[in-house]
Amino acid sequence: MNEQNRSRVQGSEDTRSRLRRLPLIATMSIVACVGVVLSLLLSRAPQAASVQAPSPSAGASVTIKLSGVAGSKGMVMAALCDKATFLKRCPYMQTVAASPVINLKFEGIKPGVYAAMLFHDENGNGEFDRSPNGMPLEGYAFSRNARGHYGPPSFEDAAVEVKAGKAALDIDMVY
């Protein structure tokens, strides 16, 4: 093989080698970009968490009397949500020790339409536990004692209007 042919073969091998590395380089670039985006998002999270809650005098007061909690084991997690945050992370949340009857008070609530969601976190894992087929394993409740059919109720079924002043809701836990 002469010198010219040898350099041509070596050049094509270098090209093939570079082409084989291209997917790896592209993947590494994508991972680096995702890492940068995540770090930017996470660096902004503490700033969002430091937003001040409304003062009690700035809005309504909502009292919830929850009955039918099975025992005193675990915690009861409660949330007051508007339509945009229903079944998601709600702007008003509380966690209290479980007992058969619980009184919760949300203050500084901006008047509007809300739905209350509650669940009895019996095992203290911070999650609403379900069986493999999706059936609830822990107690739950919604305002207006709304019940869903093969899933949670709609926002409209659980919605209550909160006006300036005081509002009271009586809710029963379901197991």
Side-chain angles (χ1 to χ4, degrees):
M1 184 180 278
N2 67 23
E3 193 63 35
Q4 190 178 17
N5 287 339
R6 193 175 306 145
S7 67
R8 218 179 294 149
V9 169
Q10 188 176 12
S12 65
E13 286 176 5
D14 287 344
T15 303
R16 277 187 246 133
S17 176
R18 279 189 238 134
L19 288 175
R20 274 187 243 128
R21 284 184 283 170
L22 189 60
L24 177 62
I25 293 168
T27 303
M28 289 171 53
S29 297
I30 291 169
V31 169
C33 289
V34 169
V36 169
V37 169
L38 284 175
S39 66
L40 287 172
L41 290 174
L42 292 175
S43 69
R44 297 191 187 277
Q47 294 171 356
S50 66
V51 173
Q52 295 293 321
S55 68
S57 62
S61 172
V62 177
T63 303
I64 297 174
K65 180 182 177 186
L66 178 64
S67 303
V69 178
S72 300
K73 186 177 176 187
M75 305 295 283
V76 170
M77 298 186 171
L80 201 56
C81 313
D82 58 18
K83 187 169 185 158
T85 60
F86 185 63
L87 301 175
K88 300 174 189 157
R89 185 155 181 85
C90 302
Y92 306 101
M93 298 174 66
Q94 286 186 35
T95 301
V96 296
S99 67
V101 176
I102 295 173
N103 289 299
L104 299 149
K105 190 169 189 175
F106 291 90
E107 297 201 52
I109 307 298
K110 181 180 171 185
V113 179
Y114 294 90
M117 306 184 307
L118 304 98
F119 80 93
H120 183 187
D121 183 19
E122 293 181 71
N123 60 6
N125 67 352
E127 296 179 10
F128 182 60
D129 297 324
R130 299 178 195 175
S131 69
N133 67 353
M135 296 299 293
L137 296 174
E138 297 177 308
Y140 63 93
F142 290 90
S143 47
R144 295 179 54 197
N145 289 317
R147 305 281 184 267
H149 302 286
Y150 303 106
S154 68
F155 176 80
E156 289 74 20
D157 288 343
V160 292
E161 185 173 359
V162 175
K163 298 178 181 178
K166 296 181 180 185
L169 305 173
D170 288 331
I171 303 174
D172 299 317
M173 186 70 73
V174 176
Y175 288 89

